[in-house]
């Protein structure tokens, strides 16, 4: 299969689209693909191919947004095995859960078998490295909490998975610390790298807000320029 650098936004010859990738996975698991997942997968695919690298996906609890994002990570690695993806979550177990899920998905998805690594020491629950072309210091996917020290890491994509949770946003001091940690993550991201926030707002002063709140001394919302998809509960 031909390969191209994932950050270019150029489609890879012979690679399934992301909605197709999701449908194939669900079919192998004996599952249907609900319309909400089709909507989210189409949006992620279109944004990636269109070159948008600052994204926010907001959906209600139990909508499957984290599962779908894990599939998205596997699809990105299929397109470009040299990508380095960092998962930052509200706590380490949550970040580890996504990485572990993607690792298992790569082991089971019919299209990702070429990514299996023959080196078991780089195939762990909190980090793993797929079979790739380049010798890189950082793994293909790594889990960290939003409060962890990430100095020295490099990533081509950062997934902010539910970084706003009660333990990180239930006071003004914690919300300030959260915004600071999000800003620091910029220093490990490569030029034109992907920043994808997925979550559910937990505070009136949410980082996901589209308007300025008085809780912060910032002039504008930190995610104001991001492309976003919001999927509310309808019934």
């Amino acid at each position: 299969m031909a390969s191209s650098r994932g950050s270019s936004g150029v489609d890879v010859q012979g690679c399934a689209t992301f909605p197709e990738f999701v449908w194939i996975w669900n079919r192998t698991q004996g599952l249907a693909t609900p319309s909400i997942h089709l909507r989210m997968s189409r949006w992620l695919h279109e944004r990636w191919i269109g070159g948008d690298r600052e994204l926010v996906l907001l959906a209600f609890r139990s909508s499957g947004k984290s599962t779908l994002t894990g599939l998205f990570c596997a699809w990105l690695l299929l397109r470009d095995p040299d990508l380095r993806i960092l998962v930052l979550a509200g706590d380490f177990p949550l970040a580890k859960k996504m990485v572990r899920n993607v690792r298992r998905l790569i082991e089971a998805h019919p299209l990702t078998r070429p990514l299996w690594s023959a080196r078991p020491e780089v195939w762990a629950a909190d980090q793993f490295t797929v079979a790739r072309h380049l010798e890189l210091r950082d793994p293909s996917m790594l889990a960290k909490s939003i409060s962890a020290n990430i100095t020295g890491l490099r990533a081509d994509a950062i997934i902010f998975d539910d970084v706003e949770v009660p333990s990180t946003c239930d006071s003004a001091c914690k919300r300030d610390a959260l915004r600071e940690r999000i800003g620091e993550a910029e220093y490990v991201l490569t030029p034109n790298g992907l920043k994808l926030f997925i979550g559910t707002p937990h505070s009136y002063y949410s980082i996901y807000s589209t308007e300025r709140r008085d809780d912060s001394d910032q002039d504008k919302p930190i995610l104001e320029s991001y492309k976003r998809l919001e999927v509310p509960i309808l019934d």
Side-chain angles (χ1 to χ4, degrees):
M1 177 168 55
S3 176
S4 67
R5 190 65 187 163
S7 58
S8 67
V10 178
D11 204 4
V12 179
Q13 183 180 359
C15 185
T17 66
F18 181 50
E20 290 170 343
F21 186 83
V22 172
W23 183 87
I24 291 170
W25 171 251
N26 286 340
R27 186 66 179 265
T28 63
Q29 300 299 300
L31 301 172
T33 303
S35 59
I36 184 176
H37 287 183
L38 283 175
R39 180 184 177 189
M40 291 190 287
S41 63
R42 287 168 180 163
W43 182 79
L44 286 169
H45 179 86
E46 290 166 2
R47 297 284 71 74
W48 179 260
I49 297 302
D52 297 316
R53 296 295 180 262
E54 295 183 334
L55 306 176
V56 177
L57 173 58
L58 301 181
F60 53 90
R61 289 182 177 276
S62 301
S63 63
K65 57 186 179 296
S66 292
T67 298
L68 199 68
T69 301
L71 282 160
F72 185 59
C73 291
W75 180 72
L76 291 178
L77 289 171
L78 176 63
R79 292 173 56 85
D80 184 358
D82 293 326
L83 279 179
R84 296 159 295 181
I85 302 173
L86 173 62
V87 179
L88 297 177
D91 57 43
F92 177 66
L94 181 60
K96 182 178 177 181
K97 182 178 179 180
M98 175 174 283
V99 172
R100 181 176 64 244
N101 181 58
V102 176
R103 186 198 66 177
R104 291 175 176 171
L105 192 153
I106 288 174
E107 293 171 346
H109 199 295
L111 299 183
T112 54
R113 287 169 185 165
L115 296 177
W116 290 7
S117 175
R119 298 167 55 194
E121 70 274 12
V122 294
W123 205 249
D126 62 332
Q127 61 177 297
F128 64 84
T129 300
V130 301
R132 57 190 181 187
H133 310 297
L134 301 178
E135 284 294 332
L136 300 169
R137 185 183 63 178
D138 297 292
S140 299
M141 200 163 183
L142 174 65
K144 291 284 186 179
S145 76
I146 189 64
S147 60
N149 180 15
I150 58 175
T151 303
L153 297 177
R154 294 295 282 170
D156 305 297
I158 301 179
I159 309 298
F160 295 88
D161 181 18
D162 276 326
V163 292
E164 182 178 285
V165 293
S167 62
T168 63
C169 73
D170 60 2
S171 71
C173 290
K174 289 182 180 179
R175 289 190 289 271
D176 284 340
L178 175 58
R179 296 185 188 102
E180 182 177 350
R181 297 299 293 172
I182 290 173
E184 291 174 356
E186 295 273 0
Y187 296 109
V188 308
L189 190 67
T190 56
N192 300 316
L194 171 70
K195 290 175 287 184
L196 171 58
F197 285 79
I198 60 172
T200 305
H202 280 74
S203 168
Y204 173 78
Y205 304 107
S206 174
I207 60 170
Y208 307 122
S209 174
T210 56
E211 59 185 39
R212 186 183 182 279
R213 307 297 193 187
D214 293 335
D215 181 63
S216 170
D217 59 1
Q218 296 179 335
D219 295 331
K220 58 184 180 179
I222 62 173
L223 306 182
E224 182 184 49
S225 62
Y226 283 54
K227 300 286 186 180
R228 61 175 57 212
L229 174 64
E230 299 185 18
V231 185
I233 293 178
L234 299 180
D235 55 42

